[in-house]
Amino acid sequence: MQLYGLADCNNFYCSCERVFHPDLVGKPVVVLSNNDGCVIARSEEAKRLGISMGAAFYQVKEQLEQAKVAVFSSNYNLYGDMSHRVHTMLGRYTPNVDIYSIDEAFIDLSDLGDSEYITIYGKRIVREVTKGTGIPISLGVAPTKTLAKMCSKFAKHYPGYEGCCLIDSEEKREKALKLFPIEEVWGIGRRSVDKLKYHGVKTAWDLTQKTESWVQRMLTITGVRTWRELRGESCICIDELPHKQSICTSRSFPDGGLTNRADVEEALANFAARCSSKMRRENTVCKAISIFAYTNRFRPDLPIDYIYQTYYPLVPTSDLNEIVGYAVGMLRSAWKGDGKFNYKKAGVLVWNIVDSSPIQGNLFDTFDREKQAQLSRAIDEINRKNGHNAIRMAVQGYSKKWHLKCEYISKQYTTNIDDIIKLKLNK
């Protein structure tokens, strides 16, 4: 029998912090967004205190202090490495692991035996991965990926499942669908929820009772695939999910912002490199590159400026040298002089993204694309083995003027030798 498992890390960012702060287990924890702007992750204890997702930190800071909530700035190096450890360990139990996100992965659990054995095996995966990494996970097992996602939520919120929920019969499927709110179904966008509820679709079961033509009219062909999956027909492949049409990397700068071109240029070079890397990981290229930078819109007492430039490459690209070069070149052409403006935010947007193969060449293209592709692959491999930006372009620099405000960041325990945990033994 075809069965998919969805392994989902519970409260992932908070769990990562607890691995190295075991005294926080059972206590409220929150993680903040870039520049410590708002709450982006909460432990179950923090949720029960009424801390809402996306709450501005300055608005809830006093509440967090009074409730003695542990606060951490985002530590993406740590989270990324812990994610890799979880996914690597999942590979011990099945040869097929499809990473869906930093805290989720689909695993193939087909043809393992009867329901009792699969349940026992699933609980073993949950128990051993949690023990081996320190990150608690929940496992949903079902005949389709959408049903597996749904099962993982039941496994997470109902302790009786002991971390593993299995749907392997029509009776279990129907019962689960009737209990599952439509707004939580994987593939149902927020814009569609109100429309569906208007037509009486409040649960996943309600949706399965509609006709295929009705679903296609309301939710397009993507919704039809979700409808089929909820009915038990597997038709979603991770590799076939549509790639992003655009990728944006941007950042708000701390304090008063940046006034010198060199500082903004360095920031944009790093943002462009990040966009380039993401496209190569997804085997995509872009047809357009835009940059932007603007002053603080909430400070009318200061000079106001807005930079926005777009470049269309002759050939769609994801090459590091090209993307960074175009971004920096556009900034230099639009710059109005150092010291005139305080730029509070800047970013790079790559858009009109398409698959990297095949792409249309250009007769007048002088770029040695095969050579550059080999160079990019080499750089990516070295950085993968030796850490983010171990090799970088000179224009990316080493200044920290544009870096994030991270007053509550923890150490990079697993990726920085200087931050490794030290133990003292008393004789």
Side-chain angles (χ1 to χ4, degrees), residues 166-182:
L166 168 68
I167 287 180
D168 61 346
S169 68
E170 281 300 303
E171 181 182 358
K172 291 180 181 178
R173 184 183 70 86
E174 181 177 332
K175 182 178 179 180
L177 291 175
K178 288 180 178 178
L179 292 172
F180 207 73
I182 190 63

Side-chain angles (χ1 to χ4, degrees), residues 261-333:
R261 192 196 74 188
D263 296 329
V264 181
E265 185 176 287
E266 182 177 307
L268 286 182
N270 280 274
F271 300 159
R274 187 71 59 86
C275 291
S276 170
S277 176
K278 288 180 179 179
M279 285 192 290
R280 289 196 300 278
R281 283 201 303 269
E282 297 176 3
N283 295 314
T284 57
V285 291
C286 70
K287 296 182 178 181
I289 305 153
S290 299
I291 66 161
F292 61 86
Y294 52 80
T295 53
N296 193 336
R297 67 191 73 181
F298 302 108
R299 291 290 305 274
D301 57 311
L302 297 176
I304 297 174
D305 189 45
Y306 186 88
I307 294 174
Y308 186 88
Q309 297 281 317
T310 298
Y311 184 83
Y312 301 92
L314 285 174
V315 177
T317 183
S318 63
D319 180 76
L320 173 66
N321 186 41
E322 279 194 291
I323 301 292
V324 173
Y326 295 143
V328 171
M330 285 187 282
L331 177 68
R332 290 175 178 175
S333 67

Side-chain angles (χ1 to χ4, degrees), residues 20-119:
F20 304 97
H21 298 85
D23 56 307
L24 295 179
V25 174
K27 298 179 181 179
V29 178
V30 299
V31 176
L32 305 177
S33 64
N34 292 345
N35 282 321
D36 296 342
C38 60
V39 176
I40 59 169
R42 305 161 295 161
S43 66
E44 294 301 322
E45 297 80 6
K47 293 175 184 178
R48 289 195 288 269
L49 289 174
I51 308 300
S52 59
M53 179 66 83
F57 179 50
Y58 77 91
Q59 292 180 331
V60 297
K61 185 175 181 180
E62 185 176 345
Q63 180 185 359
L64 296 174
E65 291 174 348
Q66 290 178 350
K68 297 182 179 179
V69 178
V71 178
F72 292 93
S73 301
S74 298
N75 189 342
Y76 295 116
N77 286 333
L78 175 65
Y79 307 154
D81 186 67
M82 294 302 293
S83 172
H84 176 70
R85 293 177 182 222
V86 171
H87 294 151
T88 299
M89 196 163 181
L90 287 172
R92 298 180 182 180
Y93 305 95
T94 173
N96 299 317
V97 178
D98 290 323
I99 299 173
Y100 178 62
S101 67
I102 193 171
D103 62 345
E104 294 176 295
F106 286 101
I107 59 177
D108 188 358
L109 297 175
S110 304
D111 303 321
L112 287 180
D114 58 20
S115 299
E116 183 178 358
Y117 178 78
I118 294 172
T119 301

Side-chain angles (χ1 to χ4, degrees), residues 110-136:
S110 304
D111 303 321
L112 287 180
D114 58 20
S115 299
E116 183 178 358
Y117 178 78
I118 294 172
T119 301
I120 293 173
Y121 191 68
K123 290 179 180 178
R124 175 189 164 193
I125 294 174
V126 170
R127 184 173 60 253
E128 294 184 358
V129 171
T130 299
K131 182 179 180 180
T133 65
I135 304 295

Side-chain angles (χ1 to χ4, degrees), residues 70 119 133 192 237 418:
T119 301
T133 65
S192 301
C237 176
D418 293 328

